[in-house]
């Protein structure tokens, strides 16, 4: 079985809403969250998606 699509990381300002099992980056502000998401997107060669104002995911397609 080859995984082709998966979540690489979760970036949030509200870690209580993130389930266990994911790599979570907790940020103090929306600006910090956006910066971390942009950097991880480039580092991990993934795509950042904002799910709401408190949560981004980096996915590999």
């Amino acid at each position: 079985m080859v995984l082709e699509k998966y979540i690489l990381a979760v970036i949030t300002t509200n870690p209580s809403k993130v389930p266990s099992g994911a790599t979570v980056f907790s940020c103090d502000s929306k600006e910090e969250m956006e910066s971390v998401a942009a950097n991880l997107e480039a580092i991990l060669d993934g795509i950042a998606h904002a799910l709401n104002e408190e949560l981004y995911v980096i996915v590999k397609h």
Side-chain angles (χ1 to χ4, degrees):
M1 178 175 166
V2 176
L3 291 175
E4 295 180 11
K5 300 178 183 182
Y6 47 94
I7 296 173
L8 298 170
V10 177
I11 305 98
T12 185
T13 56
N14 189 352
S16 66
K17 288 191 172 184
V18 178
S20 61
T23 302
V24 179
F25 293 83
S26 179
C27 300
D28 295 325
S29 68
K30 183 178 179 183
E31 293 77 19
E32 180 186 11
M33 182 179 60
E34 290 170 349
S35 175
V36 170
N39 283 317
L40 286 174
E41 183 177 39
I43 292 166
L44 298 173
D45 193 29
I47 299 171
H49 296 280
L51 299 182
N52 60 43
E53 290 185 3
E54 299 179 324
L55 185 68
Y56 273 81
V57 294
I58 309 293
V59 297
K60 186 72 169 182
H61 290 288

